[in-house]
Amino acid sequence: MPTGPQKIILIRSGLYEYAEVEIGGALQIVGPNNTGKTTLINTLQFLYLDDRRHMDFGSYTPEQTRQFYFPNQYSYVLFECLGLTGQCVIGWRGQSKASGGEPERFCHRGPFTESDFLDERHQVREPHEVNARLSGKDFRVLKSAQEHRELLLVPVDGEGRGVGVI
């Protein structure tokens, strides 16, 4: 099986309350206007581009884009990926309005598990609960664009924390 993203998961992000789309093979996205096709395609920028200033969302400003994809701390853009080191999830989570900061990037080993993010009533868990549930899966926050970039690449000479997605 080739390496790369296998699934996109959006939770309270963009036009989606919850969306899980397999992208491991060929994919056709068809639907009426204003149903989220472009929103879904544009999310790939959050995986492949390490700096939001280099992302292009048409006529929307970076602030409008942040508000659209990450209106609060319960908003997630997640990518289940297959790398050379196995399965992992690379994600972005919105921040509360009080913190006003950029979305937080993170990753963890293993496949996406819905119950790590949503409770039994299908409500989004509090961020600290999500972090606690992911702590046993080598969860780590990516604090810089460089860490994000290094995560995607193959580890060189067995060093680094890259997973080899690209």
Side-chain angles (χ1 to χ4, degrees), residues 40-59:
L40 189 64
I41 292 167
N42 278 339
T43 60
L44 288 169
Q45 294 181 80
F46 292 107
L47 177 63
Y48 289 118
L49 299 179
D50 58 12
D51 188 335
R52 275 199 339 111
R53 293 175 298 183
H54 298 173
M55 296 178 185
D56 183 6
F57 295 92
S59 62

Side-chain angles (χ1 to χ4, degrees), residues 79-159:
F79 303 94
E80 182 180 86
C81 298
L82 182 61
L84 295 176
T85 61
Q87 277 188 313
C88 67
V89 173
I90 299 169
W92 292 65
R93 172 176 45 216
Q95 298 295 312
S96 69
K97 292 202 188 307
S99 70
E102 283 292 303
E104 177 181 69
R105 294 181 266 202
F106 63 91
C107 65
H108 70 80
R109 299 272 179 209
F112 167 75
T113 304
E114 183 178 311
S115 62
D116 288 337
F117 296 87
L118 303 174
D119 65 20
E120 54 283 339
R121 295 182 329 268
H122 215 66
Q123 298 297 310
V124 182
R125 294 182 187 280
E126 292 293 330
H128 70 274
E129 291 177 61
V130 172
N131 292 0
R133 295 178 73 88
L134 299 177
S135 65
K137 298 180 178 184
D138 195 21
F139 170 79
R140 65 183 165 119
V141 173
L142 305 173
K143 294 182 170 58
S144 69
Q146 180 176 341
E147 280 187 75
H148 182 118
R149 185 172 40 256
E150 289 173 357
L151 175 71
L152 298 177
L153 301 174
V154 177
V156 179
D157 297 327
E159 294 194 24

